[in-house]
Amino acid sequence: MSDGILDNLTTITDRIKHACKASGRNPDEVKLLLATKTVPAERIKIALHAGHTLIAENKVQELKEKYEALKEVQHSNHFIGHLQTNKIKEILRYNVTCVQSLDRIDLAEKLHQRLLTENKTMEVLIQVNTSGEESKFGVHPDNALELVKQVAQLGTLKIKGLMTIGLLSAENEAVRKCFRLLKDIQQKVSALNIPDVEMKELSMGMSGDMEIAIEEGATIVRVGTAIFGKRPTPDSEYWNENEA
Ligand SMILES: *Cc1c(COP(=O)(O)O)cnc(C)c1O
């Protein structure tokens, strides 16, 4: 009983292919990340067994709860939620390979300190707030370059690119603006050739706007609802500062 997950995965893979074709891109350039917040491990496993290997949580608590059950199936874990500095140790314990939501220097410094202690490194994306919505995390676009430069000084953190959540809007052009802005920042950073900074990855696009994101250069699309169905909790619980 896959309750639609396998069909949904086929649909999503087709959507990615179509969007790539429409913009003259190679589908191999776009990775599908499964956003698994609120989804029980048993349902995530259905997707993993189907050959999808990149998953991400928003909360350390959920990472922890599903860790044992998912351990037996090969996959990689990214982190895409607001990371509190007191949860850094746990992120490392549960084998997160990339923090996509690095958006402030104090978090970067604390993560770096912990990685030094454990003699580890971590891939990171810099999360930029391209929509201008107060409720969304991410560094202000005007400060993104400065943050990249600061994080580049921290030897354990390997910058691989940028991440954003686009404006949640039915107006495609307003959404597209967010993705263009991220691409623009990517190009500005790339032009500086900062040592140890890669700008290959653009993590943008979700269930509702992945086509636009792919047209604008996404290399990672993060999809939840369109694969696992509607979530019981509103996203504001994951995207707002006043969340525990
Ligand atoms: C939940 C979430 C997604 C996936 O959103 P859907 O609309 O369910 O596809 C992507 N990125 C982040 C950061 C999320 O929190």
Side-chain angles (χ1 to χ4, degrees), residues 35 37 58 80 163 165 206-207 222-225 231 235 239:
K37 58 176 176 272
N58 291 63
I80 57 175
M163 185 272 250
I165 300 173
M206 318 197 307
S207 293
R222 308 178 308 267
V223 183
T225 314
R231 286 180 289 271
D235 285 342
W239 292 347

Side-chain angles (χ1 to χ4, degrees), residues 94-106:
Y94 299 114
N95 292 334
V96 167
T97 59
C98 178
V99 173
Q100 294 201 2
S101 44
L102 192 65
D103 63 355
R104 56 200 198 276
I105 191 62
D106 75 304

Side-chain angles (χ1 to χ4, degrees), residues 59-236:
K59 288 189 180 181
V60 174
Q61 183 59 30
E62 285 192 52
L63 193 63
K64 190 172 172 174
E65 281 163 12
K66 301 171 201 177
Y67 181 71
E68 283 301 322
L70 294 180
K71 215 164 63 173
E72 65 198 51
V73 200
Q74 207 224 314
H75 66 278
S76 10
N77 262 318
H78 285 194
F79 193 78
I80 57 175
H82 180 61
L83 182 56
Q84 287 156 320
T85 49
N86 62 359
K87 298 282 169 67
I88 286 173
K89 271 191 207 174
E90 289 184 87
I91 286 278
L92 301 187
R93 190 177 313 146
Y94 299 114
N95 292 334
V96 167
T97 59
C98 178
V99 173
Q100 294 201 2
S101 44
L102 192 65
D103 63 355
R104 56 200 198 276
I105 191 62
D106 75 304
L107 173 63
E109 280 167 352
K110 292 201 170 97
L111 186 54
H112 172 64
Q113 286 309 325
R114 189 66 214 172
L115 287 162
L116 278 180
T117 310
E118 297 195 18
N119 201 17
K120 286 180 180 169
T121 61
M122 175 74 81
E123 296 188 351
V124 296
L125 304 184
I126 303 297
Q127 182 177 358
V128 183
N129 182 345
T130 56
S131 67
E133 291 164 290
E134 294 272 338
S135 63
K136 302 252 179 83
F137 296 110
V139 63
H140 188 283
D142 292 346
N143 303 329
L145 186 57
E146 190 52 37
L147 181 59
V148 169
K149 285 182 187 164
Q150 290 175 322
V151 173
Q153 304 292 317
L154 307 171
T156 60
L157 302 180
K158 309 294 174 194
I159 302 180
K160 297 292 173 187
L162 307 172
M163 185 272 250
T164 200
I165 300 173
L167 186 72
L168 293 182
S169 160
E171 282 179 54
N172 286 354
E173 290 320 299
V175 179
R176 188 181 300 278
K177 248 192 195 164
C178 300
F179 300 146
R180 285 226 168 124
L181 178 55
L182 200 70
K183 177 85 191 172
D184 197 54
I185 297 168
Q186 178 200 37
Q187 286 174 335
K188 286 198 175 109
V189 174
S190 297
L192 296 178
N193 288 315
I194 305 167
D196 296 324
V197 173
E198 279 180 37
M199 273 290 121
K200 217 180 88 203
E201 306 291 356
L202 276 185
S203 176
M204 57 190 197
M206 318 197 307
S207 293
D209 56 16
M210 50 184 268
E211 279 84 0
I212 306 173
I214 290 170
E215 283 168 25
E216 298 302 330
T219 63
I220 301 174
V221 290
R222 308 178 308 267
V223 183
T225 314
I227 295 167
F228 300 109
K230 224 166 127 21
R231 286 180 289 271
T233 21
D235 285 342
S236 56

